[in-house]
């Protein structure tokens, strides 16, 4: 009796092992009867949910419902999960990823060409892309992925420069113009001499930063007035690794000077976005380089503590007075995380029809403004955000996610400042709206400089055919790029900590030598090829 | 206790099968329930440890996920050559071995010492308290532990720096985490702190399982506290310690990477990067999966050689060995 129980148990255990291996997935694109089709879709933020008012309306209009599959590390770095999907053949109906990953899927025949479907079902996509439509096509004339088109001609009113300076510092110095790194250094130094500690006795940190690219790559190129092509510059149609140039050296020298006068954060190489955010919220940091998407989060906590004079001005700072600022580049498309339809999707035309809806004026209003009466009202023929909803949004920005105003379909927006055919704005982010979100201290500071928004400080936007990071990094060049970046951070940190000018020179030269030795030329060549191929296509497409 | 006894039973069981070859059939018949019960586990082992080995083919290919293993071209030993020609590889190998050995030694010495000390404590509440406090960090995520360490050692108002400054030992705060040469020490201490209590548990169990009569007899013979530790507790611990040593040598190149990655920064890269982190960067960072697999084959070979040779040495020395 006992034996037979044991035997049975053993057999059951063995059987259960195999049960787990079987595939039980059926009817992925099940028609739920009411004409709604379900599709599985990769998304890059786990807080997004399909279940909200705006998406429900979208479902009603287009008969398409998405099941989100979050892959948090998608994008340029950890492509692991998406690669595993491809290798196992078990990918979702729709993937949203970098051109490099979509290229891999294309090579494996896992994504379908869309041009014929768009011809048939996507008249608005074609119309809105207009002269840029052919940019969607690859060398053979196929379209494998879709993204948004930028129809705005002015900078987004909520954009801002990335060098930040505390209001208190500006006030103390009498609101001077801060145009160059030297100007910045001077105001920081004089403030720091008078106030080495905060009111509650903590040490002031004149200049801090987040370790990595935001410390030693982006600000260096930004201060040199270069558009954001990653760590490259493009000159005469040639791509060059930018960090070994003199302007990069000048910026590193600036950090070195701060370090030697004790004005650079003592643990700047250990700081990440969270720890830096904590220091900023405590009001201890006088200046730094923080892009807007991070800064908005930090400022919420400063506002919450009510220390408005510890907020930050966002100023474009240049290396020297004569330099031209070309850092505000605007590409015509929003290609970066792009949408592709895989061979798993049944009735791909329904997806195209849904995307086409997003390219209509009605679809833009739904995706950007929301639902009339709930998220926006029409006042004197103009759309304005609903007062109650705006109050909720200001108190808690995550409301935008839970209501569906932020999600994977935002990237099909025409851009802040673009206008629809009814003459009104496509998105709620207008200049008036942005000004209305500022507190009174911010308005005061802006008034001292005769400006209305932080976007007003920025250089005139210039249309670039594309940013280099939007293009596909070849599989062979990627390892070199990653290696050079690692070497750069490692070696340049030593230069920043150099105790004397001679030591700085020596460390700088070592860095350059290391970069040269580890495939800089090869990388330049490879990326130049990518760029020139793209430009050829661009020139052919955009006439 | 459990591990030790099952291992010993295993060893004895094997010995029995070996000596009684003719009786094998009979043995199987009488033990068939046990054999049947082990089938699921053998299947799990085959499924998760042997079946995935076919992926090793990737090491000899220029693998790309799009083409798959069947479609990627073969390149012979190119990936291994590339790997061994990378200067970084040897640096990383050095870091791995140094940090592993440091952690191995400190955790062995630390755990055994703490176990012996705790065993001598007769105050039950104090003993329990110390035990609990020392093993709590094991359950805390490495992310939290690393942040605690970095905050403690921070030159910007960190606890350690404040104490050193207050006592006048230093005048300028030290940026501990920026010193490459110190990284190994900091890392070893961090890991020791996190795992010490946990690894003590097994030794405490072994000591409490030792026959109390031996202690009593020793006491009658006039042995003092240290003599009892030296002549009874330590020899009693030795078989378990040897077994654990052999097992942990197998993972000397499998250090994991969380602790190094979380404690390191751009100034200490040359000292913190370990094989696992290197493999991760090379596979998922830059997409060179083939080199990643080549590296893991290398790691397997090294581990196998280490375990087999140490096992042989131990056997020669007359201690309990694995097989």
């Amino acid at each position: 009796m006992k034996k037979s129980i044991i035997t049975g148990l053993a057999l059951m255990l063995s059987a259960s092992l195999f049960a787990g291996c079987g595939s039980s997935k059926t009817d992925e694109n099940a028609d739920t009867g009411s004409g709604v089709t379900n599709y599985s879709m990769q998304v890059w933020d786990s807080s997004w949910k399909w279940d909200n008012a705006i998406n429900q309306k979208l479902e009603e209009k287009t008969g398409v419902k998405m099941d989100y599959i979050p892959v948090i590390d998608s994008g340029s770095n950890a492509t692991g999960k998406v690669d595993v999907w491809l290798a196992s053949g078990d990918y979702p109906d729709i993937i949203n990823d970098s051109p490099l990953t979509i290229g891999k899927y294309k090579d494996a025949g896992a994504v379908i060409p869309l041009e014929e479907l768009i011809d048939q079902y996507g008249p608005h996509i074609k119309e809105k892309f207009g002269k840029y439509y052919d940019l969607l096509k690859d060398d053979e004339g196929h379209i494998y992925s879709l993204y948004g088109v930028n129809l705005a001609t002015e900078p987004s009113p909520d954009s801002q420069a990335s060098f930040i300076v505390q209001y208190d510092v500006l006030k103390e110095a009498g609101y001077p113009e801060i145009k160059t790194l030297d100007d910045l250094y001077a105001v920081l130094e004089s403030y720091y001499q008078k106030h080495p500690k905060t009111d509650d006795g903590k040490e002031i940190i004149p200049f801090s930063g987040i370790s990595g690219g935001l410390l030693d790559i982006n600000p260096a190129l930004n201060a040199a007035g270069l558009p954001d092509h990653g760590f490259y510059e493009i000159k005469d149609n040639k791509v060059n690794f930018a960090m070994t140039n003199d302007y990069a050296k000048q910026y590193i020298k600036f950090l070195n000077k701060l370090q030697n006068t004790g004005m650079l954060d003592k643990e700047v190489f250990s700081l990440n976005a969270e720890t830096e955010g904590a220091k900023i919220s405590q009001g201890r940091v006088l200046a730094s380089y923080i892009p807007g998407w991070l800064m908005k989060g930090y400022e919420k906590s400063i506002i919450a503590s009510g220390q408005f004079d510890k907020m930050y001005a966002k100023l474009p700072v240049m290396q020297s007075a004569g330099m031209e600022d070309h850092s505000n580049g605007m590409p015509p498309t929003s290609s970066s995380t792009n949408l592709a339809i895989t061979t798993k999707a049944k009735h791909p035309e329904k997806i195209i029809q849904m995307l086409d809806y997003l390219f209509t004026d009605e679809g833009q209003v739904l995706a950007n403004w929301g639902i009339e009466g709930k998220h926006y009202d029409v006042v004197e023929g103009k759309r304005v955000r609903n007062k109650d909803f705006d109050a909720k949004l200001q108190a808690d920005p995550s409301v935008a996610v839970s209501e569906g105003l932020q999600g994977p379909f935002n990237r099909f927006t025409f851009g802040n400042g673009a206008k629809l055919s009814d003459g009104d704005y496509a998105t709620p982010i207008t200049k008036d709206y942005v000004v209305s979100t500022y507190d009174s201290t911010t308005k005061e500071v802006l008034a001292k400089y005769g400006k209305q928004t932080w976007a007003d400080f920025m250089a005139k936007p210039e249309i670039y055919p594309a940013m280099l990071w939007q293009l596909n990094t070849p599989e062979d060049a990627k390892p070199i790029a990653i290696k050079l970046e690692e070497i750069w951070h490692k070696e340049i940190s030593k230069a920043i900590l150099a105790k004397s000018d001679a030591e700085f020179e020596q460390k700088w030269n070592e860095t350059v030598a290391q970069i040269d030795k580890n495939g800089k030329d090869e990388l330049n060549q490879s990326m130049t090829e990518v760029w020139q191929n793209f430009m050829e296509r661009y020139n052919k497409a955009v006439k | 206790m459990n591990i030790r006894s099952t291992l010993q039973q295993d060893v004895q069981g094997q010995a029995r099968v070996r000596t009684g070859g003719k009786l094998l059939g009979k043995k199987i018949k009488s033990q068939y329930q046990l054999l049947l019960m082990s089938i699921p586990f053998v299947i799990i082992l085959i499924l998760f440890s042997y079946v995935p080995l076919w992926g090793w083919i990737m090491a000899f290919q220029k693998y790309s996920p799009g083409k798959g293993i069947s479609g990627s071209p073969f390149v012979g030993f190119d990936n291994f050559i590339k790997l061994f020609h990378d200067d970084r590889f040897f640096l990383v190998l050095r870091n791995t071995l140094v940090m592993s050995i440091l952690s191995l030694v400190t955790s062995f010495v630390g755990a055994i010492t703490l176990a012996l000390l705790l065993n001598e404590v007769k105050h039950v509440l104090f003993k329990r308290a110390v035990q609990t406090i020392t093993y709590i960090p094991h359950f805390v995520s490495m992310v939290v532990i690393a942040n605690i360490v970095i905050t403690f050692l921070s030159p910007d108002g960190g606890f350690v720096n404040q104490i050193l400054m207050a006592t006048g030992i230093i005048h300028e705060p030290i940026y501990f985490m920026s010193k490459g040469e110190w990284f190994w020490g900091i890392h070893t201490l961090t890991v020791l702190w996190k795992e010490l209590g946990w690894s003590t548990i097994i030794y405490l169990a072994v000591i409490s399982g030792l026959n109390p009569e031996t202690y009593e007899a020793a006491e009658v013979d006039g042995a003092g506290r240290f003599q009892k530790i030296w002549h009874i507790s330590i020899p009693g611990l030795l078989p378990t310690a040897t077994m654990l040593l052999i097992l942990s040598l197998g993972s000397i190149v499998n250090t994991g990477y969380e602790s190094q990655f979380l404690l390191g920064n751009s100034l200490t890269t040359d000292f913190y990067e370990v094989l696992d982190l290197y493999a991760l960067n090379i596979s998922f960072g830059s997409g060179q999966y083939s080199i990643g697999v080549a590296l893991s084959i290398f790691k397997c070979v090294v581990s196998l050689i280490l375990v087999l040779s140490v096992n042989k040495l131990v056997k020669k020395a007359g201690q309990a060995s694995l097989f």
Side-chain angles (χ1 to χ4, degrees), chain A residues 130-198:
Chain A
K131 65 172 180 174
Y132 296 117
Y133 181 68
D134 282 349
L135 276 186
L136 288 167
K137 293 183 178 163
D138 66 2
D139 296 335
E140 286 135 40
H142 293 301
I143 296 174
Y144 285 101
S145 65
L146 267 179
Y147 35 85
V149 60
N150 185 15
L151 299 180
T153 46
E154 44 190 287
S156 170
D158 69 344
S159 61
Q160 57 192 45
S162 299
F163 281 100
I164 58 165
V165 186
Q166 206 174 61
Y167 290 169
D168 220 21
V169 177
L170 295 176
K171 190 176 166 194
E172 182 109 1
Y175 300 102
E177 294 271 350
I178 297 179
K179 286 252 151 85
T180 65
L181 291 176
D182 288 339
D183 296 347
L184 180 62
Y185 184 86
V187 288
L188 292 181
E189 192 179 31
S190 64
Y191 184 91
Y192 186 48
Q193 273 166 4
K194 272 182 249 166
H195 310 274
K197 299 229 158 133
T198 58

Side-chain angles (χ1 to χ4, degrees), chain B:
Chain B
M1 177 67 175
N2 273 340
I3 290 183
R4 184 184 68 136
S5 54
T6 32
L7 283 174
Q8 276 185 348
Q9 271 169 16
D10 262 13
V11 174
Q12 286 161 7
Q14 274 179 2
R16 247 183 278 140
V17 171
R18 239 179 266 140
T19 48
K22 285 172 213 159
L23 297 171
L24 194 65
K26 217 175 175 187
K27 277 267 148 67
I28 289 179
K29 212 174 170 192
S30 66
Q31 294 181 350
Y32 80 99
Q33 302 101 318
L34 292 174
L35 290 173
L36 268 180
M37 275 167 71
S38 68
I39 284 177
F41 303 102
V42 174
I43 291 177
I44 288 179
L45 188 76
I46 291 174
L47 200 60
F48 292 106
S49 299
Y50 287 95
V51 174
L53 288 187
W54 74 280
W56 276 15
I57 301 174
M58 279 161 69
F60 306 98
Q61 290 182 322
K62 189 172 169 26
Y63 176 79
S64 130
K67 295 182 197 126
I69 288 183
S70 52
S72 299
F74 280 90
V75 292
F77 283 91
D78 270 15
N79 292 315
F80 290 91
I81 295 169
K82 248 190 223 166
L83 185 66
F84 296 135
H85 270 114
D86 189 353
D87 306 338
R88 262 210 99 63
F89 173 72
F90 293 99
L91 192 80
V92 166
L93 186 61
R94 176 200 73 177
N95 294 346
T96 312
L97 290 177
V98 170
M99 274 191 268
S100 276
I101 291 170
L102 282 175
S103 291
L104 198 69
V105 171
T106 49
S107 86
F108 257 85
V109 175
I112 293 177
T113 316
L114 186 64
L116 290 173
L117 292 178
L118 279 179
N119 187 53
E120 297 300 321
V121 175
K122 297 296 172 224
H123 194 293
V124 178
L125 200 65
F126 178 76
K127 186 176 166 180
R128 289 261 167 84
V130 171
Q131 227 184 320
T132 311
I133 290 170
T134 51
Y135 78 61
I136 278 179
H138 171 81
F139 297 101
V140 179
S141 153
M142 194 63 218
V143 181
V144 178
I145 298 276
N147 269 320
I148 293 176
V149 170
I150 291 173
T151 315
F152 255 63
L153 297 179
S154 161
D156 182 32
F159 182 70
V160 174
N161 270 310
Q162 276 184 344
I163 288 205
L164 290 178
M165 301 254 282
T167 50
I169 297 173
I170 51 171
H171 300 289
E172 276 284 298
I174 301 172
Y175 189 2
F176 288 96
M177 300 315 290
S178 75
K179 310 249 192 260
E181 321 75 78
W182 296 5
F183 185 82
W184 292 340
I186 294 172
H187 176 261
T188 306
L189 289 177
T190 308
V191 173
L192 181 67
W193 169 47
K194 186 169 181 330
E195 299 301 338
L196 181 64
W198 185 252
S199 33
T200 306
I201 292 177
I202 196 164
Y203 295 111
L204 268 179
V206 173
I207 294 179
S208 60
L210 293 176
N211 192 350
E213 282 171 20
T214 7
Y215 285 100
E216 281 157 23
E219 223 160 290
V220 172
D221 286 349
R225 175 160 285 187
F226 289 104
Q227 275 167 319
K228 274 192 282 176
I229 292 180
W230 185 250
H231 292 292
I232 301 172
S233 303
I234 292 186
L237 279 177
L238 219 53
T240 315
T242 331
M243 195 67 69
L244 289 175
L245 181 73
I246 300 174
L247 288 174
S248 54
L249 274 172
S251 55
I252 202 160
V253 282
N254 290 318
T255 47
Y257 56 85
E258 294 98 334
S259 50
Q260 291 88 352
F261 179 69
L262 291 164
L263 287 170
N265 60 47
S266 61
L267 284 162
T268 48
T269 312
D270 283 348
F271 294 89
Y272 83 74
E273 202 177 3
V274 285
L275 279 174
D276 280 343
L277 187 58
Y278 180 76
L280 185 83
N281 286 339
I282 237 173
S283 319
F284 292 107
S286 53
Q288 306 178 84
Y289 295 100
S290 292
I291 298 187
V293 177
L295 180 60
S296 85
I297 294 181
F298 170 80
K299 274 172 51 182
C300 280
V301 173
V302 172
S303 301
L304 204 64
I305 292 173
L306 274 173
V307 172
L308 289 179
S309 47
V310 173
N311 189 53
K312 201 159 191 185
L313 273 178
V314 169
K315 219 169 169 182
K316 266 199 178 147
Q319 293 277 356
S321 59
L322 270 182
F323 39 79

